[in-house]
Amino acid sequence: MSHLEKLKNIKAFVFDVDGVFTDGSVYLLPEGNMCRVMNVLDGFAVVKALKKKYKICVITGGDDPMVRHRIHYLGITDYYAKVHHKLEKFEEFKTKYQLQNEEILTMGDDIPDIKMMKISGISACPPNSVAEVKEISDYISPIYGGKGAVRDVIEQVMKVQGTWIDDDTQSI
C-alpha cells in the first residue's frame, strides 16, 4: 500500500516534542531557566485537526511546564510527560480511543520513538532525525522539527481525506 493510500486510514496522530514540535534546541537563560520554541504553523494544524475530531497524543521524555501549557493551550488532552517507555503510553492512547495501529500516524526523531513508530500505520520524522529513525520511517518530511513538520503530516492526511480546506478555516 502506498504512502498516500495509508493516509486515508489515519484517525489519530502521536507526536514527540523535542525535535518534532521543537527543533530540539534548549535555550539556557539566566537563573538556570530553559526554554524551547514551537511553531505557530504546527499549532494551526493541530487546532484544525482537533476540530475535525482527529485524536492527537503527545508522548515525551521531558516535562517542561511551558511545553505542557502550550500543548494544553492547543487543545491536546492526551499529553504524557516523563515517559521512558513510550510504547506503553502509545498502547494506552490506542486503547482509550479503540484505535488500530493502521489508523495512527506517529512522528518521532530519536531512538525512544522507534518502537511506537514501527507499529504505527505510518511512521514519519523530520529530516533532522537520527539515522535509526530515518531508516524505519515511511515518510521523512522535508520540513524540520520546530519549523512546521507537525503541520506537514497533519495537512497531508487532512488533504487526502478532504478535511483540510472548508468553511471552518476562517474560524481557527
Side-chain angles (χ1 to χ4, degrees):
M1 184 181 296
S2 76
H3 166 74
L4 291 175
E5 285 294 315
K6 288 182 178 182
L7 293 178
K8 292 178 182 176
N9 298 325
I10 299 302
K11 295 180 180 178
F13 301 90
V14 174
F15 296 107
D16 179 32
V17 172
D18 291 318
V20 175
F21 266 101
T22 76
D23 68 1
S25 297
V26 176
Y27 297 92
L28 305 175
L29 303 173
E31 299 177 21
N33 294 318
M34 296 183 289
C35 73
R36 294 165 176 82
V37 176
M38 293 187 175
N39 194 295
V40 296
L41 296 174
D42 293 336
F44 176 87
V46 164
V47 170
K48 188 166 183 56
L50 289 169
K51 281 188 173 188
K52 292 295 181 177
K53 306 299 183 208
Y54 290 90
K55 303 298 180 198
I56 299 180
C57 176
V58 172
I59 305 174
T60 180
D63 189 22
D64 183 311
M66 294 309 296
V67 169
R68 179 183 299 272
H69 176 76
R70 174 71 176 160
I71 295 301
H72 287 137
Y73 174 82
L74 294 174
I76 299 170
T77 56
D78 295 291
Y79 175 75
Y80 303 98
K82 285 189 174 180
V83 177
H84 300 292
H85 302 287
K86 292 185 175 187
L87 188 57
E88 292 173 17
K89 293 301 179 184
F90 176 91
E91 291 292 341
E92 186 178 314
F93 171 72
K94 191 172 84 171
T95 300
K96 179 178 179 179
Y97 295 106
Q98 300 176 335
L99 294 163
Q100 302 301 310
N101 289 339
E102 59 272 10
E103 296 173 323
I104 303 170
L105 182 151
T106 299
M107 180 175 257
D109 73 312
D110 206 348
I111 291 168
D113 304 316
I114 290 176
K115 286 183 180 178
M116 63 180 184
M117 291 175 70
K118 279 186 170 181
I119 65 168
S120 295
I122 299 177
S123 58
C125 70
N128 53 320
S129 301
V130 299
E132 294 88 348
V133 168
K134 288 180 179 179
E135 286 174 17
I136 60 103
S137 291
D138 298 311
Y139 174 71
I140 300 173
S141 174
I143 304 170
Y144 281 73
K147 306 293 182 195
V150 169
R151 180 185 178 130
D152 177 33
V153 294
I154 291 174
E155 185 176 330
Q156 282 190 52
V157 168
M158 293 181 73
K159 281 182 174 178
V160 164
Q161 295 181 9
T163 58
W164 181 251
I165 300 293
D166 55 32
D167 294 335
D168 292 341
T169 300
Q170 298 303 320
S171 66
I172 292 178

